[in-house]
Amino acid sequence: MRDENCIFCRIANGEIPSATVYEDEWFRVILDMGPASKGHALILPKEHFKDVCDLDEVYASKVLLLGGRIGSAMKKTLGCTGFNLVQNNGESAGQTVFHFHLHVIPRYEDGEVMVAWRPGHAEAEELKEIAKQIKAGL
Ligand code: 5GP
Ligand code: ZN
Protein backbone atom coordinates (compact mmCIF):
# COMPACT_ATOMS: atom_id res chain seq x y z
CA MET A 1 0.00 0.00 0.00
CA ARG A 2 1.14 3.54 -0.76
CA ASP A 3 0.61 6.60 1.41
CA GLU A 4 -0.04 9.76 -0.65
CA ASN A 5 1.23 11.93 2.20
CA CYS A 6 4.56 10.11 2.40
CA ILE A 7 7.45 11.72 0.53
CA PHE A 8 9.34 8.42 0.12
CA CYS A 9 6.23 6.70 -1.32
CA ARG A 10 6.07 9.49 -3.90
CA ILE A 11 9.80 9.34 -4.70
CA ALA A 12 9.87 5.53 -4.81
CA ASN A 13 6.99 5.48 -7.28
CA GLY A 14 8.47 8.14 -9.53
CA GLU A 15 5.97 10.94 -8.73
CA ILE A 16 8.81 13.11 -7.47
CA PRO A 17 12.04 13.00 -9.49
CA SER A 18 15.22 11.70 -7.87
CA ALA A 19 18.76 10.69 -8.78
CA THR A 20 17.93 7.02 -9.27
CA VAL A 21 20.67 4.39 -9.12
CA TYR A 22 18.46 1.33 -9.54
CA GLU A 23 14.79 0.40 -9.91
CA ASP A 24 12.83 -2.86 -10.03
CA GLU A 25 9.30 -4.04 -9.24
CA TRP A 26 9.83 -3.61 -5.49
CA PHE A 27 12.43 -0.91 -4.89
CA ARG A 28 13.89 2.37 -6.07
CA VAL A 29 17.42 3.22 -4.96
CA ILE A 30 18.16 6.96 -4.87
CA LEU A 31 20.97 9.21 -3.77
CA ASP A 32 20.48 10.85 -0.36
CA MET A 33 20.06 14.64 -0.65
CA GLY A 34 22.25 15.13 2.43
CA PRO A 35 25.00 12.59 1.76
CA ALA A 36 27.21 11.39 4.62
CA SER A 37 29.81 10.53 1.95
CA LYS A 38 29.99 10.61 -1.85
CA GLY A 39 27.45 8.14 -3.25
CA HIS A 40 25.32 7.75 -0.09
CA ALA A 41 22.23 5.92 -1.32
CA LEU A 42 18.82 5.03 0.10
CA ILE A 43 16.95 1.84 -0.77
CA LEU A 44 13.23 2.65 -0.79
CA PRO A 45 10.48 0.02 -1.03
CA LYS A 46 7.71 1.05 -3.45
CA GLU A 47 5.14 0.11 -0.80
CA HIS A 48 4.76 1.98 2.48
CA PHE A 49 6.25 0.27 5.55
CA LYS A 50 6.99 2.56 8.45
CA ASP A 51 10.02 0.67 9.74
CA VAL A 52 11.69 -2.75 9.78
CA CYS A 53 9.03 -4.21 12.09
CA ASP A 54 6.40 -3.40 9.49
CA LEU A 55 8.14 -5.00 6.45
CA ASP A 56 6.55 -8.02 4.78
CA GLU A 57 8.47 -11.20 3.97
CA VAL A 58 8.95 -10.40 0.28
CA TYR A 59 10.58 -7.03 0.92
CA ALA A 60 12.50 -8.27 3.95
CA SER A 61 13.96 -11.18 1.99
CA LYS A 62 15.14 -8.91 -0.85
CA VAL A 63 16.39 -5.75 0.78
CA LEU A 64 19.65 -7.03 2.25
CA LEU A 65 20.69 -8.69 -1.01
CA LEU A 66 20.05 -5.42 -2.80
CA GLY A 67 22.10 -3.55 -0.19
CA GLY A 68 25.02 -5.87 -0.91
CA ARG A 69 24.60 -5.40 -4.64
CA ILE A 70 24.56 -1.61 -4.43
CA GLY A 71 27.55 -1.60 -2.06
CA SER A 72 29.53 -3.84 -4.42
CA ALA A 73 28.72 -1.56 -7.36
CA MET A 74 29.94 1.43 -5.32
CA LYS A 75 33.24 -0.32 -4.61
CA LYS A 76 33.71 -1.02 -8.33
CA THR A 77 32.79 2.45 -9.52
CA LEU A 78 33.40 5.07 -6.82
CA GLY A 79 36.67 3.87 -5.38
CA CYS A 80 35.32 3.31 -1.88
CA THR A 81 36.85 0.37 -0.04
CA GLY A 82 33.86 -0.49 2.12
CA PHE A 83 30.32 0.55 2.94
CA ASN A 84 27.94 0.69 5.88
CA LEU A 85 24.36 -0.53 5.75
CA VAL A 86 22.44 1.59 8.25
CA GLN A 87 18.79 1.40 9.07
CA ASN A 88 17.11 3.56 11.73
CA ASN A 89 13.90 2.58 13.52
CA GLY A 90 12.11 5.15 15.66
CA GLU A 91 12.85 8.74 16.51
CA SER A 92 15.20 7.84 19.35
CA ALA A 93 17.25 5.82 16.83
CA GLY A 94 17.52 8.78 14.46
CA GLN A 95 14.73 7.90 12.04
CA THR A 96 13.42 11.12 10.46
CA VAL A 97 11.39 9.74 7.54
CA PHE A 98 8.87 7.14 8.62
CA HIS A 99 8.94 5.04 5.46
CA PHE A 100 11.41 2.14 5.78
CA HIS A 101 14.74 2.82 4.08
CA LEU A 102 18.15 1.21 4.13
CA HIS A 103 21.12 3.57 3.90
CA VAL A 104 24.09 2.40 1.82
CA ILE A 105 27.01 4.62 2.84
CA PRO A 106 30.28 4.25 0.91
CA ARG A 107 33.43 4.40 3.04
CA TYR A 108 36.72 5.69 1.71
CA GLU A 109 40.28 5.19 2.98
CA ASP A 110 41.07 7.99 5.46
CA GLY A 111 37.37 8.92 5.46
CA GLU A 112 35.58 10.06 8.58
CA VAL A 113 34.33 7.35 10.99
CA MET A 114 30.60 7.71 10.81
CA VAL A 115 29.04 4.61 12.30
CA ALA A 116 30.72 3.93 15.61
CA TRP A 117 30.17 3.61 19.34
CA ARG A 118 32.40 3.45 22.38
CA PRO A 119 32.30 -0.13 23.74
CA GLY A 120 30.87 -0.24 27.26
CA HIS A 121 31.20 -2.93 29.89
CA ALA A 122 28.73 -5.47 31.28
CA GLU A 123 29.11 -8.41 33.66
CA ALA A 124 28.10 -11.88 32.39
CA GLU A 125 25.22 -12.05 34.91
CA GLU A 126 23.84 -8.73 33.73
CA LEU A 127 24.00 -9.89 30.07
CA LYS A 128 22.11 -13.09 30.99
CA GLU A 129 19.40 -11.06 32.72
CA ILE A 130 18.99 -8.71 29.77
CA ALA A 131 18.90 -11.65 27.33
CA LYS A 132 16.08 -13.15 29.44
CA GLN A 133 14.14 -9.87 29.26
CA ILE A 134 14.40 -9.66 25.47
CA LYS A 135 13.52 -13.36 25.01
CA ALA A 136 10.28 -12.75 26.88
CA GLY A 137 9.17 -10.38 24.12
CA LEU A 138 9.79 -12.72 21.17
P1 5GP B 1 16.72 8.63 8.51
O1 5GP B 1 17.30 9.69 9.41
O2 5GP B 1 15.20 8.63 8.57
O3 5GP B 1 17.31 7.28 8.67
O4 5GP B 1 17.16 9.07 7.05
C1 5GP B 1 16.45 9.93 6.24
C2 5GP B 1 17.40 10.33 5.12
O5 5GP B 1 16.63 10.76 4.02
C3 5GP B 1 18.34 11.47 5.48
O6 5GP B 1 19.68 11.02 5.27
C4 5GP B 1 17.94 12.59 4.54
O7 5GP B 1 19.04 13.32 4.05
C5 5GP B 1 17.24 11.85 3.41
N1 5GP B 1 16.15 12.56 2.78
C6 5GP B 1 15.08 13.14 3.41
N2 5GP B 1 14.24 13.67 2.50
C7 5GP B 1 14.77 13.42 1.27
C8 5GP B 1 14.36 13.74 -0.07
O8 5GP B 1 13.31 14.36 -0.32
N3 5GP B 1 15.18 13.33 -1.08
C9 5GP B 1 16.34 12.64 -0.85
N4 5GP B 1 17.07 12.28 -1.91
N5 5GP B 1 16.76 12.33 0.40
C10 5GP B 1 15.99 12.72 1.44
ZN1 ZN C 1 5.76 5.80 2.33
Side-chain angles (χ1 to χ4, degrees), residues 3-134:
D3 174 349
E4 277 313 313
N5 297 315
C6 169
I7 180 121
F8 279 5
C9 276
R10 299 183 67 198
I11 294 175
N13 289 284
E15 269 178 49
I16 296 177
S18 60
T20 294
V21 168
Y22 174 84
E23 185 184 3
D24 64 20
E25 192 181 334
W26 300 279
F27 298 98
R28 180 186 296 269
V29 183
I30 64 166
L31 293 185
D32 194 296
M33 72 180 186
S37 68
K38 182 182 152 193
H40 180 169
L42 299 171
I43 300 182
L44 311 180
K46 290 187 173 179
E47 282 189 55
H48 185 82
F49 302 101
K50 71 177 177 352
D51 60 21
V52 74
C53 306
D54 204 27
L55 276 188
D56 72 17
E57 281 190 19
V58 173
Y59 281 90
S61 68
K62 290 177 182 296
V63 71
L64 204 52
L65 289 173
L66 183 54
R69 225 179 125 191
I70 300 293
S72 297
M74 287 169 170
K75 283 169 65 177
K76 272 192 231 153
T77 58
L78 297 180
C80 59
T81 49
F83 59 91
N84 293 111
L85 296 178
V86 178
Q87 202 274 308
N88 300 325
N89 297 284
E91 226 172 295
S92 62
Q95 186 175 8
T96 58
V97 182
F98 293 86
H99 173 124
F100 172 95
H101 49 282
L102 181 63
H103 294 259
V104 188
I105 306 177
R107 298 296 296 271
Y108 299 89
E109 289 304 321
D110 303 323
E112 196 189 332
V113 175
M114 283 174 291
V115 183
W117 57 88
R118 205 162 356 113
H121 176 76
E123 299 297 338
E125 272 312 306
E126 191 186 345
L127 294 180
K128 268 193 209 158
E129 190 46 46
I130 298 167
K132 215 161 91 185
Q133 271 180 267
I134 299 170

